[in-house]
């Protein structure tokens, strides 16, 4: 009996670094400008122009290396990767090859083999029977983050990418915008029978959404298994994912790495970063999502799910922590932020930064509940009102008359009115008919228009009836 099929996956992610200029020149790397307006002799690859390395890009790459537990190397080297393509005017791409800036890291259980810096190429746009080239993107700073083949299925791959994207955004290295191509993924996939050697892999290029990554991997696994079961063999090749059909197809057979004839770029010095600078960058790193979620579980007693949902972005985590601190109730804060705040943001397509309900407003609402000033049902109503009107919770309580009566004397007065008005039932109760008590509580709630605090209403009524 042959063993079961299993898949082996390794990912290569290109992330655009958030700098204000390109990696080797002063042009803007902003997305979406009219074609060929952000170009100069350096990024157009004119002979004789000299690249000058962007310091900020280096700092961001170091940050990513540290944030993924890599060894960051004080010396790395830029090489020329030679190939011809119309979007690459120099005829080579400047990239790090055998001496990348960072190696041997991890995100969770997924090992990161290397992180290297490189420049992006331009972009081809196909129009009818011709093609146009936009070189705005040429020279945009990238890091390429390469994993070991540690992933076993599409879901694991997407989970890794989700975490990687969070780290990129937390560190400020990348804006994570997949629609604009700030994050692109190549998926290497092979299959084998359990316990066998690694199979031959294919590489599916330029997947620009998590959904496409997942689907391309699933399709590729199925396709490879079908080929092998038919007695065929897998060719090491580069494939494209076709969004329309959900299938991958051949783009080109794989060039060997040495075809690129890498050699150190003679126009650039070795990249040297002082170990003290690396340490400085390490000290300035923000608390990252994984340790932050662990802290929420440990210190606030949150569930894994709650904790993970709250650290998805730095802004959300900061919002949550501000609510929890002011409300002095971390669990209630977690429930409100996860269930209500995220729901409204999602429904109304607003960003947290523009959201009307500030952390302090939500915290004060939670305090009103915890102190018994308002009931749970009113709280939801007040929250929705805050989301719409942007008014303070206290103002809304006043305006809507939602304050729950927790003043014993007010309840006592109401209870006395109920007793006078329901003499017959009071008589029955005092004669031993306990069930009538529920009716009298109902009358008291009616008298207070539902705003009496339930325990207090019960206690006051009993006291008056039993005396
Ligand atoms: P290259 O640089 O030529 O693309 P690498 O050997 O550096 O090739 O691997 C690139 C990616 O492919 C890495 O993420 C690695 O984990 C993954 N990979 C390598 N071998 C396999 C395999 N047999 N199956 C799946 N993924 C693989
Ligand atoms: Mg590759
Ligand atoms: Zn330029």
């Amino acid at each position: 009996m042959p063993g079961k099929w299993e898949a082996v996956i390794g990912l290569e992610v290109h992330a655009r670094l958030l700098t204000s200029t390109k990696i080797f020149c002063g042009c803007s790397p902003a997305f979406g400008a009219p074609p060929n307006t952000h170009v100069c002799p350096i990024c157009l690859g004119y002979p004789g122009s000299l690249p000058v390395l962007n310091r900020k890009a280096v700092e961001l790459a170091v940050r990513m290396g540290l944030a993924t537990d890599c060894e960051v190397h004080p010396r790395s080297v830029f090489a020329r990767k030679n190939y011809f393509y119309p979007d690459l005017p120099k005829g080579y791409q400047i990239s790090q090859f055998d001496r990348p800036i960072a190696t041997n890291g991890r995100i969770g259980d997924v090992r990161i083999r290397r992180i290297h810096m490189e420049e992006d190429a331009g972009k081809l746009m196909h129009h009818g029977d011709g093609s146009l080239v936009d070189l705005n993107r040429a020279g945009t700073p990238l890091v390429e983050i390469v994993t070991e083949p540690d992933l076993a299925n599409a879901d694991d791959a997407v989970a890794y990418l989700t975490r990687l994207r969070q780290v990129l955004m937390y560190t400020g290295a990348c804006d994570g915008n997949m629609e604009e191509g700030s994050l692109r993924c190549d998926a290497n996939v092979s299959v084998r029978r359990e316990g066998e050697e690694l199979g031959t892999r294919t590489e599916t290029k330029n997947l620009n959404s998590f959904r496409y990554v997942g689907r391309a991997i699933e399709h590729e696994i199925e396709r490879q298994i079908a080929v092998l079961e038919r007695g065929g063999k897998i060719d090491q090749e580069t494939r494209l994912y076709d969004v329309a059909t959900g299938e991958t197809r051949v783009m080109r057979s794989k060039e060997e790495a040495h075809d690129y004839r890498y050699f150190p770029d003679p126009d650039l010095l070795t990249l040297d970063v002082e170990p003290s600078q690396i340490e400085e960058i390490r000290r300035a790193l923000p608390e990252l999502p994984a340790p932050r979620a662990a802290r929420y579980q440990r210190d606030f007693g949150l569930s894994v799910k709650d904790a993970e949902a709250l650290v998805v972005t730095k802004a959300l985590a900061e919002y949550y922590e501000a609510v929890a601190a002011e409300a002095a109730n971390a669990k209630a804060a977690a429930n409100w932020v996860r269930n209500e705040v995220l729901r409204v943001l999602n429904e109304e397509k607003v960003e947290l930064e523009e959201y009307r309900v500030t952390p302090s407003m939500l915290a004060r609402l939670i305090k009103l509940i915890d102190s018994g000033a308002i009931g749970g049902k009113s709280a939801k109503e007040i929250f929705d009102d805050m989301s719409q009107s942007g008014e303070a919770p206290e103002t809304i309580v006043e305006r809507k008359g939602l304050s729950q009566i927790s003043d014993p004397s007010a309840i006592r007065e109401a209870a006395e009115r109920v007793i006078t008005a329901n003499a017959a039932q009071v008589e029955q109760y005092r004669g031993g008919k306990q069930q009538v008590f529920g009716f009298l509580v109902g009358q008291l709630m009616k008298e207070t228009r539902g705003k009496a605090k339930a325990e207090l209403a019960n206690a006051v009524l009993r006291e008056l009836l039993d005396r």
Side-chain angles (χ1 to χ4, degrees):
M1 262 292 278
K4 274 180 21 193
W5 287 112
E6 64 183 18
V8 175
I9 302 156
L11 299 179
E12 296 166 82
V13 170
H14 287 93
R16 181 161 64 209
L17 295 169
L18 259 179
T19 55
S20 54
T21 54
K22 292 185 182 180
I23 186 168
F24 298 119
C25 64
C27 294
S28 162
F31 177 85
N36 300 308
T37 53
H38 292 171
V39 291
C40 74
I42 294 174
C43 54
L44 290 173
Y46 286 11
S49 62
L50 274 179
V52 178
L53 181 58
N54 182 327
R55 174 185 291 267
K56 182 73 183 178
V58 176
E59 185 193 326
L60 295 176
V62 170
R63 256 193 237 172
M64 267 314 283
L66 296 171
T68 51
D69 287 337
C70 281
E71 253 171 80
V72 174
H73 303 294
R75 171 162 290 182
S76 57
V77 174
F78 283 101
R80 291 185 179 181
K81 178 182 183 179
N82 298 282
Y83 66 97
F84 171 79
Y85 205 64
D87 65 8
L88 189 74
K90 291 198 294 291
Y92 59 87
Q93 178 191 22
I94 304 178
S95 178
Q96 296 186 316
F97 177 53
D98 52 358
R99 302 211 39 193
I101 191 151
T103 54
N104 291 323
R106 59 171 58 248
I107 286 186
D109 298 335
V110 182
R111 289 171 299 160
I112 288 172
R113 179 182 290 178
R114 57 188 274 138
I115 297 181
H116 65 256
M117 301 181 67
E118 62 185 26
E119 59 177 344
D120 208 346
K123 200 171 176 179
L124 281 184
M125 288 170 298
H126 306 289
H127 280 266
D129 53 6
S131 290
L132 300 169
V133 65
D134 175 8
L135 293 171
N136 284 346
R137 201 177 69 180
T140 300
L142 303 178
V143 277
E144 179 172 339
I145 302 155
V146 183
T147 74
E148 294 294 338
D150 283 352
L151 298 150
N153 56 54
D155 288 348
D156 287 358
V158 171
Y160 160 78
L161 285 175
T162 305
R163 293 185 67 177
L164 174 63
R165 179 166 176 270
Q166 286 174 7
V167 174
L168 281 161
M169 292 170 71
Y170 262 74
T171 53
C174 176
D175 65 16
N177 188 331
M178 298 192 77
E179 284 107 76
E180 295 184 356
S182 297
L183 210 63
R184 312 191 293 268
C185 178
D186 304 341
N188 296 272
V189 177
S190 65
V191 300
R192 63 177 170 191
R193 298 277 191 186
E194 240 168 28
E196 284 179 0
E197 301 275 285
L198 280 183
T200 303
R201 73 186 151 106
T202 63
E203 178 175 358
T204 303
K205 282 279 198 203
N206 278 332
L207 298 158
N208 63 354
S209 86
F210 288 176
R211 184 144 36 99
Y212 296 158
V213 172
R215 288 189 187 161
I217 290 174
E218 271 164 12
H219 172 265
E220 193 51 23
I221 293 171
E222 274 173 36
R223 187 191 68 84
Q224 291 186 14
I225 291 175
V227 169
L228 294 171
E229 288 198 327
R230 255 189 272 123
K233 73 184 239 316
I234 303 299
D235 297 319
Q236 186 174 337
E237 63 198 4
T238 304
R239 301 179 69 88
L240 274 182
Y241 177 67
D242 185 331
V243 176
T245 61
E247 295 178 349
T248 65
R249 58 186 154 78
V250 187
M251 182 164 113
R252 55 182 139 94
S253 70
K254 180 79 184 170
E255 325 85 316
E256 292 299 312
H258 55 252
D259 277 351
Y260 292 122
R261 296 180 182 277
Y262 281 98
F263 63 90
D265 191 313
D267 288 343
L268 288 158
L269 300 171
T270 55
L271 168 52
D272 291 318
V273 188
E274 288 292 328
S276 63
Q277 258 177 298
I278 296 175
E279 283 318 302
E280 204 174 296
I281 295 170
R282 189 194 300 278
R283 277 195 300 276
L285 278 182
E287 186 184 24
L288 294 166
R292 201 159 194 165
R295 179 165 65 81
Y296 290 1
Q297 291 167 61
R298 192 181 60 236
D299 294 356
F300 299 155
L302 301 191
S303 68
V304 179
K305 277 205 152 147
D306 279 345
E308 283 180 352
L310 292 168
V311 300
V312 161
T313 64
K314 199 158 80 180
L316 184 69
E318 282 165 0
Y319 183 97
Y320 163 67
E321 286 184 33
V323 177
E326 188 175 337
N329 186 341
K331 279 205 176 150
N335 287 334
W336 279 95
V337 173
R338 237 200 116 180
N339 300 325
E340 302 303 322
V341 173
L342 288 181
R343 174 181 60 78
V344 173
L345 295 181
N346 193 37
E347 278 171 10
E348 301 185 1
K349 306 261 166 290
V350 255
E351 295 296 323
L352 194 54
E353 289 76 9
E354 299 142 21
Y355 185 44
R356 290 202 183 90
V357 179
T358 63
S360 175
M361 285 160 70
L362 180 52
R364 273 144 51 210
L365 178 67
I366 294 171
K367 282 178 131 172
L368 287 172
I369 305 164
D370 288 350
S371 70
I374 57 171
K377 252 183 76 193
S378 308
K380 281 275 298 215
E381 189 182 336
I382 297 165
F383 177 81
D384 287 335
D385 195 320
M386 287 201 301
S387 288
Q388 293 303 317
S389 67
E391 283 187 66
E394 299 82 4
T395 313
I396 298 167
V397 169
E398 279 291 304
R399 166 156 57 73
K400 295 197 148 162
L402 287 172
S403 166
Q404 179 170 256
I405 301 175
S406 57
D407 172 359
S409 68
I411 292 180
R412 181 178 289 266
E413 283 165 26
E416 275 164 356
R417 287 196 297 277
V418 167
I419 287 171
T420 317
N422 296 281
Q425 284 82 355
V426 171
E427 216 33 49
Q428 288 174 359
Y429 174 82
R430 287 190 173 140
K433 206 168 169 206
Q434 290 285 325
Q435 309 91 288
V436 184
F437 186 70
F439 166 80
L440 292 168
V441 171
Q443 294 305 109
L444 177 53
M445 293 313 277
K446 225 170 166 182
E447 182 70 24
T448 56
R449 305 215 322 277
K451 287 182 280 181
K453 215 178 158 189
E455 310 94 85
L456 204 55
N458 274 286
V460 168
L461 202 53
R462 280 235 192 262
E463 193 200 316
L464 291 180
L465 288 169
D466 293 348
R467 81 181 162 195

